[in-house]
Amino acid sequence: MPLVPRWCPTLLSSQPSVSCHGKAEECIGLCRALLSALHWLLRCTAASAERLREGLEAGTPAAGEKQLAMCLQRLEKTLSSTKNRALLHIAKLEGASSWTAIEHSLLKLGEILANLSNPQLRSQAEQCGTLIRSIPTMLSVHAEQMHKTGFPTVHAVILLEGTMNLTGETQSLVEQLTMVKRMQHIPTPLFVLEIWKACFVGLIESPEGTEELKWTAFTFLKIPQVLVKLKKYSHGDKDFTEDVNCAFEFLLKLTPLLDKADQRCNCDCTDFLLQECGKQGLLSEASVNNLMAKRKADREHAPQQKSGENANIQPNIQLILRAEPTVTNILKTMDADHSKSPEGLLGVLGHMLSGKSLDLLLAAAAATGKLKSFARKFINLNEFTTYGSEESTKPASVRALLFDISFLMLCHVAQTYGSEVILSESRTGAEVPFFETWMQTCMPEEGKILNPDHPCFRPDSTKVESLVALLNNSSEMKLVQMKWHEACLSISAAILEILNAGENGVLAFESIQKITDNIKGKVCSLAVCAVAWLVAHVRMLGLDEREKSLQMIRQLAGPLFSENTLQFYNERVVIMNSILERMCADVLQQTATQIKFPSTGVDTMPYWNLLPPKRPIKEVLTDIFAKVLEKGWVDSRSIHIFDTLLHMGGVYWFCNNLIKELLKETRKEHTLRAVELLYSIFCLDMQQVTLVLLGHILPGLLTDSSKWHSLMDPPGTALAKLAVWCALSSYSSHKGQASTRQKKRHREDIEDYISLFPLDDVQPSKLMRLLSSNEDDANILSSPTDRSMSSSLSASQLHTVNMRDPLNRVLANLFLLISSILGSRTAGPHTQFVQWFMEECVDCLEQGGRGSVLQFMPFTTVSELVKVSAMSSPKVVLAITDLSLPLGRQVAAKAIAAL
């Protein structure tokens, strides 16, 4: 039997209880002593079991069993205390080698007890082993929500991404979804089910045309890739495959939803989805066949679709799945030397323009992360075709067409998926391609006001004069040796000359008509460049001065009915008119003007101009939120309205008014639903919303006693939950790239946040010297009431987190405020709110370690928090303390030992 260490009398007493009210270093010593005692107990138990097994006991076997039972009883009593296990958790982090010895002893004990005949003793030993093995992972166990079947946040995040961010990084979406799953403790089968439900809803309600194709690509190309990445986050491939299978079993029970999707897509959507999941290894072949058979049997009872007009139309799903490999082939074709076979390349591009081929290919490229590469190839082609020397008529025509088609395609991509897709990475010294220059300085976009007198619209006057002469005198546009980039940059000044000539009576209406016919007769890109300038010009004119410019836009928008046009003219005009309609939308609305663009039968701007006229935007915001809350989920149209209101009102106005709506709710189930919906709405610009919420709105509510009543339960609990969710989401993603939809917004200047939130971080070097000398001597922690030097010290400072980052600064100040509230003598709803906030942090986080928002909490807050009854738990202390730091472990040990 091993020697009895001096600490064992306490452990061998009938009620093991360890406490320490001394210095932090003494509490760490207690942790180590407890670990040594545990090791000794395990060795005693193993020795007793060994003697019993080999029959070496001097007395009867019953006496041997009694001794083993006594050892196991003491072991069980020691480990049954959560406080003891928490102290052992700290001791494990203090010394890895000591814990390795525990694991070896536990393994040896298991081998000895495997052949033990007494089932009661064996069961007791197994229970002790389970408790010991749970010590390293005691912070990672969360209960999942099995009682809920709908998760509006997941639904809304998927709808938002599918509607507004098809080009977004798959990894970003995976991380966002994983964060939501963890924060809301969603079981994997229900989580995957909610993703599929949202995809089918998005498909059903998507407007016909480009939006429908984008949703199809999102559902059948992007989401399977998202699930493949989610699979890597799960504990095992087999488990995740079973969860996906389970999710499909649930999905098949939603017959009305699937029938509606099949009717909209003119095919069996589930069949295609199952095939894709099978290809990606998300389902076994047997599961795919089984699920297909079930859906097939169910479809026999579905409402019969009308045969006739839809019977011969290929489903978009089939077209999108075929488009995906075509994108790869086109990218390879575009890599070839353009000078060797321009006619062959023109043939490929011509086919891309027919019907909805271009939108199919772009949607497939966007969903698979190839759109930026796609755009880059076309920018290179456009740059290559700007000028050709020593060419004859035919090569000049091919070059003009290649320039025109690439220019139109790039404009279409920029308008459909955002100009960020077009822009190349900034390289010092590298020459910026013509199209990028033109797009950044001359192309009208949402939220971008252009100056018609900008130097980009005022090129060399001799080039302008020669272009005006060419347009006015020639029966048709000259193509040979034409410098198309110069023509595009000169057309704005040429149009101004023509407008002035028309105003002064120098040019008759017929002459202007001939000029506009020449502009759009060969290459449509000239017409696009002309209208881009006219849009900027019209904004600067008075009401009675606009007619001539608007008339010219009308003349440029209509197709030219002539036999002398270049190849693919009709197809190019369709794209041109789509581009012009989007360019002119804002200015036409502002000037209350109508221009009828040739229709393709599909709404090219389905989500434009959704706000009701002559209504205050605050009313619109409260109404749309009330409707969304009543329904319990956000639809695509609502997402676009919220996005428009966010643009118009600004982040503070948007966030502040929605928080006011949340605080009005008095029913618990409504507040919880509101939190789930608000979080997903805030995903429109989570970074900026979080800065406003944590940096302005919460401090305002917590420091103004007249507003404390609004923080009472249930709205106060809901706001605490929302604040934590936003903080965690923003902190986990703010190192990454902003999404396309967020880049368009104004970014607050970092200096604004430094002046708004001045931190007491003077003389950091002196602070670090004090820390390094006091890290082992924790006298600074012995008196929690002493809030001088150590009152603002947090783990983030030891990790040297960049405090010039606005989010880091806001989080640090919020936790300083929380610490101040906990340390003050005034209690109220604001104190209760702080408790809810911290409880939610604990509930959402695996551990308050490096990379967590809790690293910004001052160490002194721990001793204040354990005074709150709901927070005085060893697990809570472990969760809120950064145990990766020696100082963090000392703080945790001191707080737990005093409980």
Side-chain angles (χ1 to χ4, degrees):
M1 183 74 69
L3 291 173
V4 182
R6 58 187 171 85
W7 346 269
C8 286
T10 306
L11 290 170
L12 295 174
S13 65
S14 57
Q15 292 293 330
S17 172
V18 288
S19 293
C20 178
H21 296 276
K23 295 178 180 179
E25 61 178 2
E26 293 171 350
C27 297
I28 286 288
L30 175 65
C31 294
R32 292 189 182 118
L34 189 59
L35 189 66
S36 297
L38 175 64
H39 189 206
W40 176 81
L41 263 177
L42 280 171
R43 288 166 63 208
C44 286
T45 309
S48 299
E50 182 73 32
R51 286 187 180 184
L52 176 62
R53 190 184 70 172
E54 295 178 0
L56 297 176
E57 289 290 343
T60 61
E65 285 187 355
K66 187 178 178 183
Q67 189 176 357
L68 178 59
M70 191 190 302
C71 286
L72 287 170
Q73 187 183 10
R74 296 294 177 267
L75 197 59
E76 192 173 15
K77 279 189 177 179
T78 303
L79 293 166
S80 61
S81 163
T82 308
K83 179 178 176 180
N84 286 352
R85 292 203 307 278
L87 293 171
L88 287 166
H89 184 88
I90 294 170
K92 172 194 171 293
L93 296 172
E94 280 286 308
S97 57
S98 302
W99 186 256
T100 305
I102 294 280
E103 288 177 325
H104 286 159
S105 297
L106 189 60
L107 195 65
K108 184 181 177 183
L109 179 61
E111 289 169 359
I112 296 168
L113 294 175
N115 301 318
L116 197 67
S117 56
N118 189 323
Q120 188 180 350
L121 288 176
R122 197 165 61 242
S123 170
Q124 203 173 0
E126 284 171 1
Q127 193 174 350
C128 289
T130 303
L131 284 170
I132 292 172
R133 281 188 288 272
S134 73
I135 289 169
T137 58
M138 65 187 296
L139 293 176
S140 59
V141 181
H142 288 294
E144 292 185 327
Q145 295 195 59
M146 299 307 293
H147 60 284
K148 280 187 72 174
T149 54
F151 300 92
T153 308
V154 178
H155 187 99
V157 166
I158 291 293
L159 274 177
L160 191 148
E161 287 293 311
T163 306
M164 304 182 75
N165 200 27
L166 182 60
T167 56
E169 289 288 333
T170 305
Q171 186 61 32
S172 301
L173 177 55
V174 169
E175 288 169 6
Q176 190 179 15
L177 287 169
T178 306
M179 175 69 72
V180 172
K181 182 180 185 294
R182 195 181 79 193
M183 290 191 303
Q184 299 187 17
H185 313 309
I186 307 173
T188 305
L190 296 180
F191 175 65
V192 176
L193 171 65
E194 198 63 46
I195 291 173
W196 290 135
K197 277 165 61 179
C199 286
F200 278 112
V201 169
L203 270 175
I204 291 164
E205 66 178 22
S206 61
E208 190 183 345
T210 306
E211 292 301 317
E212 185 183 354
L213 296 178
K214 284 162 77 172
W215 258 108
T216 308
F218 180 75
T219 303
F220 294 91
L221 293 178
K222 188 166 186 173
I223 289 298
Q225 290 298 323
V226 167
L227 291 180
V228 168
K229 286 182 181 283
L230 282 169
K231 184 178 179 180
K232 293 174 185 173
Y233 282 77
S234 66
H235 298 297
D237 286 1
K238 189 179 177 185
D239 291 342
F240 192 79
T241 305
E242 286 171 3
D243 288 335
V244 172
N245 183 59
C246 186
F248 270 109
E249 292 280 5
F250 289 143
L251 184 66
L252 292 182
K253 292 174 184 174
L254 304 176
T255 309
L257 177 71
L258 300 184
D259 288 347
K260 187 81 175 169
D262 288 357
Q263 196 172 2
R264 173 67 200 270
C265 299
N266 193 32
C267 66
D268 184 350
C269 296
T270 316
D271 190 279
F272 282 108
L273 204 52
L274 289 168
Q275 286 181 45
E276 286 304 302
C277 288
K279 286 178 194 172
Q280 299 296 341
L282 296 166
L283 285 170
S284 66
E285 191 178 345
S287 296
V288 170
N289 293 333
N290 176 44
L291 293 163
M292 279 181 175
K294 285 183 179 179
R295 178 58 186 153
K296 188 177 179 182
D298 204 24
R299 281 192 94 216
E300 289 175 5
H301 306 290
Q304 290 298 311
Q305 295 184 31
K306 294 177 184 175
S307 48
E309 69 219 27
N310 290 338
N312 298 321
I313 298 174
Q314 276 192 305
N316 282 333
I317 300 171
Q318 214 168 1
L319 295 171
I320 280 287
L321 293 174
R322 283 184 192 166
E324 195 255 336
T326 308
V327 169
T328 309
N329 292 335
I330 288 171
L331 289 174
K332 287 178 185 174
T333 304
M334 296 292 291
D335 279 331
D337 187 347
H338 303 317
S339 61
K340 287 186 178 175
S341 180
E343 290 89 351
L345 181 58
L346 181 60
V348 172
L349 300 190
H351 283 299
M352 284 175 64
L353 297 178
S354 61
K356 55 185 178 184
S357 297
L358 179 59
D359 283 325
L360 276 166
L361 292 165
L362 294 179
T368 52
K370 295 172 186 163
L371 188 60
K372 200 162 184 71
S373 175
F374 201 83
R376 183 64 18 210
K377 308 284 186 197
F378 278 96
I379 283 177
N380 293 340
L381 173 63
N382 185 263
E383 193 72 6
F384 174 76
T385 54
T386 52
Y387 176 64
S389 59
E390 299 179 8
E391 61 183 356
S392 58
T393 307
K394 189 176 180 184
S397 300
V398 171
R399 183 172 66 84
L401 279 167
L402 289 174
F403 175 87
D404 199 40
I405 292 170
S406 58
F407 186 96
L408 295 172
M409 281 184 178
L410 289 166
C411 285
H412 185 63
V413 169
Q415 288 183 334
T416 310
Y417 294 98
S419 55
E420 289 77 16
V421 179
I422 304 292
L423 299 176
S424 56
E425 305 300 325
S426 54
R427 296 189 303 270
T428 52
E431 191 176 340
V432 180
F434 154 70
F435 184 83
E436 277 190 53
T437 306
W438 179 84
M439 184 186 72
Q440 287 180 289
T441 53
C442 306
M443 183 175 172
E445 284 184 281
E446 185 185 2
K448 183 164 94 177
I449 304 298
L450 299 173
N451 175 10
D453 297 322
H454 189 277
C456 72
F457 293 123
R458 293 284 174 271
D460 183 1
S461 58
T462 55
K463 292 176 182 175
V464 174
E465 286 170 13
S466 61
L467 181 61
V468 171
L470 182 69
L471 293 169
N472 190 28
N473 299 327
S474 304
S475 57
E476 61 180 54
M477 193 75 181
K478 170 193 152 189
L479 302 177
V480 177
Q481 295 185 1
M482 187 71 173
K483 295 180 181 177
W484 291 113
H485 60 302
E486 289 184 0
C488 287
L489 291 172
S490 303
I491 194 71
S492 52
I495 290 290
L496 180 60
E497 293 286 329
I498 293 159
L499 279 174
N500 289 336
E503 289 280 348
N504 298 322
V506 177
L507 282 176
F509 176 80
E510 291 76 16
S511 301
I512 294 175
Q513 182 71 59
K514 186 184 82 170
I515 290 171
T516 54
D517 285 350
N518 272 339
I519 290 172
K520 67 187 178 184
K522 294 290 184 184
V523 288
C524 298
S525 42
L526 277 181
V528 171
C529 294
V531 171
W533 178 80
L534 284 165
V535 164
H537 182 62
V538 167
R539 285 182 190 274
M540 305 298 170
L541 298 176
L543 191 64
D544 55 343
E545 299 171 313
R546 295 172 182 161
E547 187 49 44
K548 293 278 184 184
S549 299
L550 292 170
Q551 181 60 39
M552 186 166 280
I553 293 176
R554 288 189 187 93
Q555 289 174 321
L556 289 167
L560 178 67
F561 299 102
S562 167
E563 294 179 1
N564 204 20
T565 55
L566 295 177
Q567 269 181 288
F568 312 116
Y569 183 70
N570 292 335
E571 291 85 350
R572 286 183 289 129
V573 165
V574 168
I575 299 174
M576 178 189 79
N577 280 314
S578 164
I579 294 165
L580 298 186
E581 188 174 358
R582 284 173 181 262
M583 274 186 178
C584 298
D586 279 344
V587 79
L588 294 181
Q589 185 188 36
Q590 289 161 14
T591 57
T593 308
Q594 284 191 337
I595 292 180
K596 190 168 176 62
F597 292 91
S599 175
T600 56
V602 176
D603 187 359
T604 54
M605 301 173 65
Y607 292 119
W608 186 75
N609 197 23
L610 293 175
L611 297 187
K614 298 180 181 178
R615 277 195 72 193
I617 57 171
K618 187 178 176 183
E619 276 185 30
V620 178
L621 182 66
T622 52
D623 281 3
I624 193 71
F625 181 67
K627 286 174 185 172
V628 161
L629 190 59
E630 189 180 346
K631 280 196 301 186
W633 56 281
V634 186
D635 58 76
S636 300
R637 188 175 183 277
S638 302
I639 286 172
H640 278 272
I641 292 174
F642 280 123
D643 190 54
T644 306
L645 291 168
L646 177 56
H647 272 290
M648 293 179 75
V651 181
Y652 179 83
W653 174 90
F654 185 78
C655 183
N656 190 41
N657 281 300
L658 286 174
I659 295 299
K660 284 179 183 176
E661 293 304 305
L662 171 64
L663 295 176
K664 286 178 190 174
E665 292 298 331
T666 53
R667 286 185 291 177
K668 190 172 183 179
E669 65 273 15
H670 265 212
T671 57
L672 290 174
R673 188 194 298 173
V675 167
E676 290 181 323
L677 293 169
L678 280 174
Y679 172 82
S680 53
I681 292 164
F682 287 170
C683 284
L684 285 165
D685 200 345
M686 182 58 79
Q687 293 290 326
Q688 295 295 300
V689 167
T690 302
L691 288 174
V692 164
L693 178 60
L694 304 186
H696 297 273
I697 295 171
L698 276 191
L701 290 168
L702 291 170
T703 54
D704 186 347
S705 57
S706 67
K707 294 177 182 175
W708 287 353
H709 68 279
S710 64
L711 295 176
M712 294 173 72
D713 194 36
T717 320
L719 179 58
K721 188 183 284 287
L722 178 63
V724 172
W725 287 4
C726 290
L728 293 178
S729 296
S730 292
Y731 190 75
S732 68
S733 64
H734 85 300
K735 299 280 191 298
Q737 292 288 316
S739 72
T740 303
R741 63 178 184 277
Q742 291 172 8
K743 283 180 181 174
K744 291 180 181 176
R745 284 187 233 292
H746 166 68
R747 309 254 68 78
E748 272 78 354
D749 189 345
I750 188 168
E751 297 299 334
D752 296 347
Y753 278 89
I754 290 174
S755 59
L756 271 171
F757 306 112
L759 277 177
D760 184 19
D761 49 11
V762 184
Q763 293 179 303
S765 57
K766 180 185 175 187
L767 179 64
M768 292 308 291
R769 281 201 304 277
L770 283 165
L771 283 171
S772 58
S773 62
N774 284 309
E775 196 169 90
D776 295 322
D777 177 17
N779 289 325
I780 57 167
L781 303 165
S782 58
S783 176
T785 54
D786 178 18
R787 308 181 64 82
S788 56
M789 191 282 283
S790 63
S791 64
S792 64
L793 175 62
S794 67
S796 62
Q797 288 165 289
L798 297 181
H799 288 312
T800 59
V801 170
N802 175 21
M803 293 313 295
R804 288 183 63 79
D805 180 279
L807 183 61
N808 293 347
R809 209 164 187 83
V810 163
L811 284 167
N813 277 278
L814 180 64
F815 278 107
L816 279 175
L817 178 58
I818 285 171
S819 185
S820 171
I821 289 169
L822 287 169
S824 71
R825 295 179 182 179
T826 308
H830 65 308
T831 320
Q832 185 70 56
F833 177 87
V834 166
Q835 180 189 319
W836 292 326
F837 183 90
M838 295 306 298
E839 283 176 352
E840 189 62 31
C841 282
V842 172
D843 192 43
C844 290
L845 291 173
E846 298 294 326
Q847 182 177 331
R850 187 168 186 169
S852 145
V853 295
L854 285 172
Q855 68 178 310
F856 295 97
M857 182 184 72
F859 286 120
T860 50
T861 310
V862 178
S863 57
E864 301 290 352
L865 269 174
V866 293
K867 295 175 186 175
V868 181
S869 58
M871 304 295 284
S872 58
S873 132
K875 275 194 174 185
V876 168
V877 175
L878 290 181
I880 63 176
T881 319
D882 189 343
L883 300 176
S884 68
L885 295 169
L887 189 55
R889 293 194 290 274
Q890 288 179 19
V891 169
K894 182 173 171 58
I896 293 169
L899 288 174

